[in-house]
Amino acid sequence: MSALPSSLSTSAALAGRTSRRKQARPGELLAAALTLFTEKGYAATRAEEVARLAGVSKGTLFLYYPSKEELFKAVVRENLAGRFPQWNAEFEAYAGSTPEMLRYTLLQWWERVGNTPASGLTKLVMSESSNFPELADFYQQEVILPGQELIRRILQRGVDRGEFLIDNIDHSIFVVLAPMIFLTTWKHSFGTRAANCVTLDPQTYLQAQVQIILHGLCQPNQTLNTSETSAGSDQKDLNP
């Protein structure tokens, strides 16, 4: 078989590169948008800045994402919301104890989210939700509620297996979430000025939080009667 003319070979090569470039373009746009959203915030980020950082025209950006709001939603789905099927599958397949699952969950959250640029999305939504309530509603549906449901499943697993003693799972979910939210806000606020702050090692902090969640602060043989403690405190306040 005779070789293709050089002009046809060149055209085929260019077409192949163009096709690969188009396939990679959405990912490049989302990466650029994530960088700018987390650095500047939603309101201050302009579409032309995203296009420039991704190396395309503004018109090309809008071919893929017709508005800044749709671009932001795509960033959230790519970096957070779209991962819940995998995380739920890991929950189903986990064979260890629930205390170890809880430890694994917090540490893996740091590796996969907290220690990545995607962690800035939570702080962004917290900071700008009052100005963009529709984005806050979207984030709640796509990220917050699925995240709470996954933690609920972990805690309920521990209760069902006799490993956890939990009076109120609804509020215990927020106890587990609190270290993640703290690290996110710290990293993107005080953590940016580490030279002026107390040194905080995220993994050591999360290990300490898991220890407190699982075992509390009291010694194993120490019994704390909260009703008596509260009553005693109230009585002390009444005495001169």
Side-chain angles (χ1 to χ4, degrees):
M1 182 181 294
S2 60
L4 290 172
S6 58
S7 59
L8 292 179
S9 298
T10 302
S11 298
L14 288 174
R17 283 198 294 270
T18 301
S19 176
R20 289 192 296 272
R21 183 81 176 92
K22 288 182 178 180
Q23 292 174 1
R25 191 165 288 153
E28 294 169 352
L29 291 169
L30 294 180
L34 174 63
T35 297
L36 291 171
F37 282 142
T38 54
E39 287 181 357
K40 302 182 64 174
Y42 180 80
T45 297
R46 296 181 300 167
E48 51 265 33
E49 293 176 309
V50 176
R52 188 182 309 116
L53 185 59
V56 301
S57 68
K58 183 178 177 180
T60 299
L61 170 64
F62 285 134
L63 284 176
Y64 291 91
Y65 309 104
S67 68
K68 188 169 77 168
E69 180 179 340
E70 290 303 317
L71 176 63
F72 178 78
K73 290 179 177 180
V75 168
V76 171
R77 291 188 177 110
E78 174 71 16
N79 290 277
L80 296 174
R83 298 186 178 188
F84 280 105
Q86 175 191 346
W87 293 337
N88 279 291
E90 287 188 46
F91 169 87
E92 297 290 350
Y94 196 87
S97 70
T98 311
E100 284 306 313
M101 175 189 279
L102 185 62
R103 188 184 309 275
Y104 173 83
T105 298
L106 287 176
L107 294 176
Q108 284 299 305
W109 167 84
W110 174 252
E111 293 296 329
R112 302 181 192 185
V113 179
N115 198 29
T116 74
S119 61
L121 293 171
T122 298
K123 180 176 179 292
L124 181 157
V125 174
M126 292 171 64
S127 301
E128 303 193 45
S129 60
S130 60
N131 294 325
F132 301 98
E134 67 283 358
L135 293 184
D137 291 343
F138 164 80
Y139 195 83
Q140 182 177 34
Q141 292 297 322
E142 295 282 333
V143 179
I144 295 175
L145 293 180
Q148 290 178 351
E149 180 58 28
L150 179 56
I151 294 174
R152 178 189 298 278
R153 296 181 71 195
I154 294 172
L155 297 180
Q156 189 64 56
R157 179 185 192 264
V159 171
D160 293 343
R161 290 162 57 104
E163 298 167 308
F164 291 165
L165 179 62
I166 300 176
D167 293 330
N168 190 318
I169 285 185
D170 288 341
H171 285 80
S172 297
I173 290 170
F174 295 104
V175 173
V176 177
L177 282 172
M180 305 183 202
I181 296 173
F182 169 77
L183 279 180
T184 295
T185 53
W186 178 276
K187 176 183 175 182
H188 294 278
S189 54
F190 295 109
T192 61
R193 299 181 57 81
N196 299 324
C197 294
V198 176
T199 300
L200 176 66
D201 178 70
Q203 292 185 327
T204 303
Y205 167 76
L206 289 172
Q207 291 279 14
Q209 286 288 339
V210 172
Q211 185 73 9
I212 292 171
I213 290 172
L214 294 177
H215 304 291
L217 294 173
C218 294
Q219 292 285 356
N221 60 350
Q222 180 70 33
T223 300
L224 179 63
N225 188 322
T226 55
S227 61
E228 291 182 1
T229 302
S230 176
S233 176
D234 293 342
Q235 183 65 37
K236 182 178 179 181
D237 291 341
L238 293 174
N239 292 330

